């Protein structure tokens, strides 16, 4: 009986010590792994248009079915809800397709896919992805007035604005670099001129000191010797410099 009680005690103790360390709580919302457009444009000049997309989400828990739609970037118009369909699940990654319908008569131009707040089965959620977020997926909606030609013209105009801004920034950077190089050259020349002036002044001071420094020479006349100290000493008449 004592052996049985001891075994039960050890089993309970082992379970209590192992189980918590083996459990990792899921506290993160689903995240967008990747996406691709099935349709990048649709034509509503003669009727409703369809836009389709595929995207993948990852989460440690089961993912609640997300919602999405497409909204105009120039008006408040949106499509109805596009209920994504799960097409595959590999490990923690679930892949969906979604289809949205743009109605005949709605505004043409640039529209954008929206992905509504993402939730998993245990209550973790995020704000989803949309304009200004990390999923700016633009598509184009055409009608009889908004044509491919106009779209290309709009894109070309936008590209020109970006190119002009970059060219202006590059020119400014070049001018600033040239101004800095000129300033550095001027500073170098001024430093060299100052160094030359300092050297000349030093040489002039040395020359003045040399000119005013007294020296001593020894003069002899037979057995007589004389020491003469002066700035430019010379021997007296009849004496020769030793």
């Amino acid at each position: 009986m004592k052996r049985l009680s001891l075994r039960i005690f050890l089993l309970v103790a082992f379970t209590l010590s192992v189980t918590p360390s083996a459990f990792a709580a899921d506290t993160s919302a689903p995240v967008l792994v990747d996406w691709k457009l099935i349709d990048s444009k649709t034509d509503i000049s003669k009727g409703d248009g369809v836009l389709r997309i595929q995207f993948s989400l990852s989460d440690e828990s089961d993912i609640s079915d997300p919602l999405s739609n497409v909204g105009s970037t120039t008006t408040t118009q949106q499509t109805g809800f596009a209920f994504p369909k799960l097409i595959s699940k590999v490990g923690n990654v679930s892949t969906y397709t979604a289809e949205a319908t743009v109605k005949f008569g709605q505004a043409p131009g640039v529209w954008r896919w929206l992905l509504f707040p993402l939730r998993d089965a245990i209550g973790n959620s995020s704000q989803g992805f949309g304009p200004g977020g990390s999923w700016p997926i633009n598509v184009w909606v055409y009608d009889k007035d908004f044509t491919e030609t106009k779209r290309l013209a709009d894109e070309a105009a936008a590209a020109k604005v970006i190119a002009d801004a970059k060219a202006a920034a590059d020119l400014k950077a070049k001018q600033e670099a040239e101004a800095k190089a000129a300033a550095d050259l001027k500073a170098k020349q001024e430093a060299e001129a100052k160094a030359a002036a300092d050297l000349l002044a030093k040489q002039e001071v040395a020359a003045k000191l040399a000119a005013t420094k007294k020296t001593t020479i020894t003069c002899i006349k037979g057995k007589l010797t004389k020491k003469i100290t002066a700035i430019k000493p010379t021997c007296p008449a009849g004496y020769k410099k030793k």
Side-chain angles (χ1 to χ4, degrees), residues 89-152:
K89 181 175 175 59
V90 180
N92 296 330
V93 178
S94 299
T95 301
Y96 300 83
T97 58
E99 181 178 298
T101 300
V102 183
K103 298 292 186 181
F104 173 74
Q106 287 189 309
V110 181
W111 286 53
R112 181 169 296 174
W113 275 97
L114 306 175
L115 183 59
F116 285 76
L118 305 178
R119 294 186 178 87
D120 61 20
I122 61 174
N124 296 310
S125 65
S126 70
Q127 294 303 308
F129 305 88
S134 58
W135 195 28
I137 306 178
N138 293 340
V139 289
W140 294 88
V141 175
Y142 300 102
D143 67 2
K144 60 183 178 59
D145 297 318
F146 193 86
T147 62
E148 178 75 5
T149 301
K150 185 177 186 305
R151 179 183 79 83
L152 294 174

Side-chain angles (χ1 to χ4, degrees), residues 73-97:
T73 62
T74 56
T75 70
T76 58
Q77 294 178 357
Q78 294 185 352
T79 65
F81 284 129
F83 297 97
K85 297 178 181 179
L86 180 64
I87 59 173
S88 69
K89 181 175 175 59
V90 180
N92 296 330
V93 178
S94 299
T95 301
Y96 300 83
T97 58

Side-chain angles (χ1 to χ4, degrees), residues 147-234:
T147 62
E148 178 75 5
T149 301
K150 185 177 186 305
R151 179 183 79 83
L152 294 174
D154 287 350
E155 287 186 343
K160 185 176 184 303
V161 170
I162 295 173
D164 289 347
K166 184 179 184 302
D170 290 345
L171 177 60
K172 182 179 179 181
K174 181 182 178 182
Q175 291 172 337
E176 290 176 348
E178 290 175 347
K180 184 178 182 303
D184 291 345
L185 177 60
K186 182 180 179 181
K188 181 181 178 182
Q189 291 172 337
E190 290 176 347
E192 291 174 348
K194 183 178 183 302
D198 291 344
L199 177 60
L200 179 60
K202 184 178 180 181
Q203 290 172 340
E204 289 175 348
V205 169
K208 287 181 181 180
L209 289 174
T212 58
K213 184 179 180 180
K214 293 181 179 181
T215 56
T216 300
I217 62 174
T218 301
C219 301
I220 59 174
K221 182 180 180 182
K223 294 182 178 181
L224 299 176
T225 61
K226 281 187 178 182
K227 291 187 179 294
I228 307 298
T229 300
I231 294 175
K232 293 182 179 181
T234 58

